[in-house]
Amino acid sequence: MNALKKIQYNCNKATFLIEKRMLDKITLRERVELYIHLITCLPCRLFAEQSQNINQMVKQLFQKPVVKLGEDEKQQMHTLIEQEIDKEKK
Amino acid sequence: MPPNTPPLNPHKWVENHADYLFSFAFTRLNDEELARDLVQDTFFAALKRMDAFEGKSTERTWLTAILKYKIIDCYRKRSSDLKVSLREVNEPVFFEEEGHWTVEQRPTAFGIETDARINEKEFNNVLQGCMQKLPPLWLSVFTMKHVDEELTDTICAELKISASNFWVIIHRAKVNLRACLQKNWL
C-alpha cells in the first residue's frame, strides 16, 4: 500500500487523531493526514461530528442534579455534624 | 482569618450543599450508598480543615474540591481492583487490520450529527447507560477529562497511567460510547 492509500484507509488512526485534536495539539503532519483522510471518508466525518456533540451532551448530563437525599438521611448527616462540632469545642 | 473572608457555616452545610454534593458524587460513581458516604466524609474532613479555608472560593466550591479528592480515591481503587489491561477489555471489533471500519461498526447518522440532543430525557438515559458500560478506568479517565476538565498530566499521575495509554483510553472510550449510542438509539 502506498502512503496516501494508507492514510485514506486508516480510520482507526483518523478517529484517534480526531479525539486527540479536540483536547490537545496534534502535529502538522498529523493535521495534514487527518485532513486528507476526512476528505474521502464519510464515516469518519460523521464520527467527528457525533463525537463533538457527545462531549457536549456528557457535560450537560453531569451538570444536572439527578438524585436527591432523603430528608431523614439529611437529618442524620446534620446530627452527625453537630456532634462533631460539639466534640471540637470540648 | 482576614476580616473580609466569607465565613463557613457548618450548621447549614447539609441544608445548603448536601443535595448538590450527593448528585455530584453520584453522577461520577453511579453508586448511591458510596456517594452518600463520601458526602458525609467530606463534611467531616471539611470540619477538620476549617482553618485552612482562605475564603478565595465559595463555601460550595471549597467543599466540592474536598469531595473531588475523595472521588479520585475511589476511581483509583476501582481501577486497580479491576486492573484489566487494554488488551483484555471486551469490545466489538471496530476496525479491520489495516484500520478501516468494519462493516458492522461503521458510523452512520442517528440524529446527533448536526445538533446535540441536550435535555432530552430519553436520550440522556441511553447516554447514561452507555457510559456505565465502559470499564471503570476508562469512565474515570473520560469523566475527569471531559467533564471536570482536569489536565492530562494530573489524570495520568492520579490514576497512574502513561500518557500514551491515556490517549488510547480517550480514543477507545469514545469509539465504544458512540457505537453504543448508535446501537441503542436508532
Side-chain angles (χ1 to χ4, degrees):
Chain A
M1 235 191 277
N2 68 37
L4 184 64
K5 270 262 148 56
K6 254 188 195 161
I7 291 169
Q8 286 177 329
Y9 216 78
N10 202 339
C11 303
N12 192 2
K13 188 172 183 195
T15 51
F16 178 90
L17 293 176
I18 287 167
E19 290 306 303
K20 193 167 183 187
R21 182 181 61 174
M22 285 195 284
L23 298 166
D24 203 347
K25 286 196 186 95
I26 58 174
T27 65
L28 179 62
R29 190 200 164 94
E30 287 170 335
R31 287 211 299 273
V32 173
E33 282 189 14
L34 182 56
Y35 180 79
I36 294 169
H37 182 90
L38 289 178
I39 288 174
T40 52
C41 185
L42 175 65
C44 283
R45 284 207 301 276
L46 270 177
F47 180 94
E49 287 161 6
Q50 292 171 340
S51 181
Q52 204 160 10
N53 284 335
I54 289 170
N55 288 353
Q56 240 182 298
M57 293 185 288
V58 167
K59 235 182 248 178
Q60 178 85 9
L61 183 69
F62 275 72
Q63 276 161 7
K64 259 191 290 194
V66 288
V67 283
K68 274 192 173 168
L69 288 161
E71 281 311 313
D72 43 334
E73 288 169 328
K74 282 196 218 172
Q75 192 51 50
Q76 201 185 352
M77 267 187 194
H78 185 71
T79 311
L80 286 169
I81 290 176
E82 294 297 335
Q83 280 172 4
E84 207 55 32
I85 296 172
D86 286 342
K87 251 192 261 168
E88 303 267 310
K89 276 187 196 153
K90 277 170 201 164
Chain B
M1 220 189 265
N4 55 351
T5 303
L8 294 169
N9 187 359
H11 301 289
K12 290 270 185 190
W13 279 353
V14 172
E15 191 186 320
N16 291 340
H17 309 299
D19 277 329
Y20 172 83
L21 295 173
F22 179 57
S23 193
F24 188 96
F26 177 76
T27 44
R28 283 158 182 78
L29 297 163
N30 201 38
D31 180 335
E32 285 201 21
E33 203 180 321
L34 181 60
R36 201 179 305 126
D37 289 348
L38 288 191
V39 173
Q40 183 80 68
D41 285 354
T42 299
F43 287 141
F44 285 153
L47 280 175
K48 290 211 177 74
R49 268 190 254 171
M50 280 175 65
D51 299 344
F53 180 70
E54 291 174 332
K56 282 181 188 153
S57 58
T58 63
E59 189 176 61
R60 176 171 284 190
T61 308
W62 183 67
L63 289 168
T64 308
I66 298 172
L67 176 61
K68 263 192 195 175
Y69 274 108
K70 298 193 176 293
I71 292 173
I72 291 173
D73 262 342
C74 293
Y75 284 162
R76 207 180 291 140
K77 235 174 263 162
R78 277 185 180 179
S79 47
S80 64
D81 282 353
L82 297 152
K83 201 82 191 179
V84 257
S85 83
L86 283 169
R87 226 175 276 248
E88 287 165 67
V89 172
N90 193 6
E91 55 181 341
V93 181
F94 291 106
F95 303 102
E96 311 276 3
E97 215 167 293
E98 304 89 342
H100 210 260
W101 289 105
T102 55
V103 178
E104 304 79 47
Q105 296 298 336
R106 189 176 298 154
T108 53
F110 61 100
I112 63 159
E113 297 70 46
T114 41
D115 278 307
R117 302 183 88 94
I118 301 247
N119 284 329
E120 272 186 48
K121 202 162 181 249
E122 284 124 75
F123 190 85
N124 278 341
N125 287 342
V126 177
L127 179 58
Q128 213 153 20
C130 285
M131 289 184 71
Q132 294 310 326
K133 277 188 199 154
L134 296 174
L137 176 63
W138 294 15
L139 184 58
S140 311
V141 170
F142 189 84
T143 313
M144 284 176 86
K145 191 67 203 176
H146 286 291
V147 182
D148 296 327
E149 296 177 343
E150 303 282 356
L151 294 172
T152 300
D153 289 348
T154 311
I155 300 171
C156 290
E158 297 281 8
L159 300 179
K160 298 194 171 61
I161 51 173
S162 67
S164 71
N165 271 352
F166 170 85
W167 290 112
V168 171
I169 290 170
I170 283 286
H171 175 223
R172 286 175 58 183
K174 183 61 74 58
V175 170
N176 276 278
L177 184 57
R178 197 214 64 82
C180 178
L181 290 173
Q182 177 171 315
K183 189 173 158 212
N184 291 288
W185 184 248
L186 266 184

